[in-house]
Amino acid sequence: MTFYTYDYLHQSQSNWQYGRIAVLSVLAVIFILFLIHYLRNRMDIKYKDLSIIVATLLLLVLALQYNDFNSIQSSSKQTGQITQTVKQVANRLHVQPKTISVNSTNVNANLMVKTPRGYFRVDYNSDGSAFVLEKVELDGASKIKVEEAQ
């Protein structure tokens, strides 16, 4: 069973989004530079071709970004929900959120929490607005892997 730390949950989504923004920014700057260079030297056609290639790559990356926008937004929302749950569990158990790990990156019915005080199962009510912590004993606790932020 894999558990994810609070820092891992908090950083996993933001790194990928920043990477995409960086790629888009670099491609936009390269496109502008090639376009300016072509407009200064209209006789040098290689800069026109390079501008077209970079513009095509830029449009492709923008299309992929638009295509993934809903899934990124949904996963960011779920990560926000699970980090809020981790904060609430930490508050109830009087421990730091950084010492808590969960077995899922989104809120689900089988959410397990690993804390310094032991393992707990999170039982949500029917509409998901509140939960109860139930202490559990895990069989095979040696097979547990914890994913931490890097």
Side-chain angles (χ1 to χ4, degrees):
M1 183 180 298
T2 303
F3 282 82
Y4 304 96
T5 63
Y6 176 76
D7 290 333
Y8 179 86
L9 294 171
H10 204 324
Q11 291 179 349
S12 65
Q13 289 298 322
S14 62
N15 290 341
W16 179 244
Q17 290 173 352
Y18 290 137
R20 285 185 175 197
I21 291 171
V23 167
L24 283 171
S25 300
V26 168
L27 284 174
V29 168
I30 291 172
F31 171 70
I32 291 171
L33 290 175
F34 282 147
L35 188 62
I36 289 172
H37 208 344
Y38 166 69
L39 291 176
R40 285 187 181 169
N41 305 319
R42 290 200 183 252
M43 299 306 269
D44 198 359
I45 297 179
K46 72 177 179 183
Y47 292 109
K48 176 184 175 187
D49 295 339
L50 288 172
S51 296
I52 291 171
I53 291 170
V54 172
T56 305
L57 283 173
L58 184 62
L59 288 175
L60 178 66
V61 171
L62 281 172
L64 289 172
Q65 178 71 18
Y66 179 75
N67 187 30
D68 291 341
F69 179 72
N70 287 337
S71 63
I72 290 171
Q73 192 174 25
S74 174
S75 64
S76 294
K77 183 178 178 182
Q78 288 175 350
T79 300
Q81 289 173 342
I82 196 71
T83 55
Q84 283 301 102
T85 301
V86 169
K87 286 180 184 177
Q88 290 173 357
V89 168
N91 190 25
R92 286 187 187 183
L93 296 176
H94 306 292
V95 296
Q96 293 294 324
K98 294 181 189 259
T99 62
I100 294 179
S101 303
V102 292
N103 71 334
S104 178
T105 57
N106 56 10
V107 177
N108 59 30
N110 297 320
L111 189 63
M112 300 290 292
V113 179
K114 178 181 182 262
T115 70
R117 294 184 175 196
Y119 295 93
F120 292 88
R121 185 168 63 104
V122 180
D123 287 328
Y124 288 96
N125 64 355
S126 60
D127 65 353
S129 62
F131 63 88
V132 175
L133 292 174
E134 178 183 357
K135 189 163 177 118
V136 295
E137 294 292 326
L138 294 182
D139 289 337
S142 63
K143 297 178 184 176
I144 292 176
K145 183 174 89 170
V146 177
E147 293 286 331
E148 297 187 29
Q150 298 172 351

